[in-house]
Amino acid sequence: MYQDYDYSAKKENNSGRVSRTAKIIWGSVAGVILLILIIGGFSVIGAEDVGIRVTLGKVAPEPEYGLTVKWPLISKFIKFEKTTQRIETSDATYTKDIQSADIKYVFTYKIVSANAPELYLSAGKGYEEKLIYPSLHSALKDVIGRWTAQDLVSNRDKAAAEVQEQLKNDLSEQFFTEIS
């Protein structure tokens, strides 16, 4: 009355289907990982930037430009602008005769591209806060403090030239150029 049904054939059929689905899933995952590794192995450093390669915390001694190859997931590029940078700000200081002076100024500079890795090693990405701003404030306070308020107004150009000269002396020519 009952016919014997062969369950083993159905079991083989299901295991074959699962195996094929698992191969497709694992193949897709492997393909996505491979694609990420291939795409992550390249980086583009723009014409206005200089790139510094950092691999597992070690900074490469030479700067990079253009299309570059890197180790995916363990290397990265830190970019510094090599075009002229402009800082426009104000500062309050005192003159020789203890008069308050609010000074508005514009400071421009360029990074020496060839020495960008050393700049990154010595001051990091925040080099402006660590090197430039302290030198700016110091130069302004030092130069303005030598003049009386009346003399400062009439000799504004001389004071600006003195500040610029002191900045050139304070900031390393190794890292910065075209300081004005």
Side-chain angles (χ1 to χ4, degrees), residues 151-162:
D151 291 341
L152 183 62
V153 171
S154 60
N155 294 305
R156 197 176 311 181
D157 293 336
K158 283 184 183 179
E162 286 181 28

Side-chain angles (χ1 to χ4, degrees), residues 3 14 50 57 62 65 90 92 104 107 123 153 158 175:
Q3 287 186 340
N14 283 341
V50 59
E62 296 296 320
Y65 307 94
S90 62
K104 291 184 181 181
F107 174 71
V153 171
K158 283 184 183 179
F175 300 136

Side-chain angles (χ1 to χ4, degrees), residues 82-158:
K82 61 182 181 180
T83 58
T84 301
Q85 300 299 304
R86 179 183 169 114
I87 297 173
E88 190 171 341
T89 188
S90 62
D91 202 359
T93 187
Y94 290 98
T95 60
K96 184 177 182 179
D97 56 351
I98 311 175
Q99 297 290 319
S100 178
D102 291 325
I103 309 292
K104 291 184 181 181
Y105 57 92
V106 175
F107 174 71
T108 59
Y109 67 95
K110 282 179 84 170
I111 291 176
V112 177
S113 298
N115 296 333
E118 289 93 22
L119 176 62
Y120 179 72
L121 281 171
S122 66
K125 186 71 173 158
Y127 65 90
E128 283 184 344
E129 290 80 20
K130 293 177 184 172
L131 299 176
I132 293 177
Y133 284 118
S135 294
L136 273 171
H137 296 303
S138 173
L140 277 172
K141 290 179 188 287
D142 186 39
V143 170
I144 301 302
R146 286 188 235 145
W147 295 79
T148 64
Q150 186 176 7
D151 291 341
L152 183 62
V153 171
S154 60
N155 294 305
R156 197 176 311 181
D157 293 336
K158 283 184 183 179

Side-chain angles (χ1 to χ4, degrees), residues 47-63:
E48 67 280 351
D49 295 329
V50 59
I52 301 159
R53 181 193 315 260
V54 179
T55 304
L56 296 175
K58 183 179 179 193
V59 177
E62 296 296 320

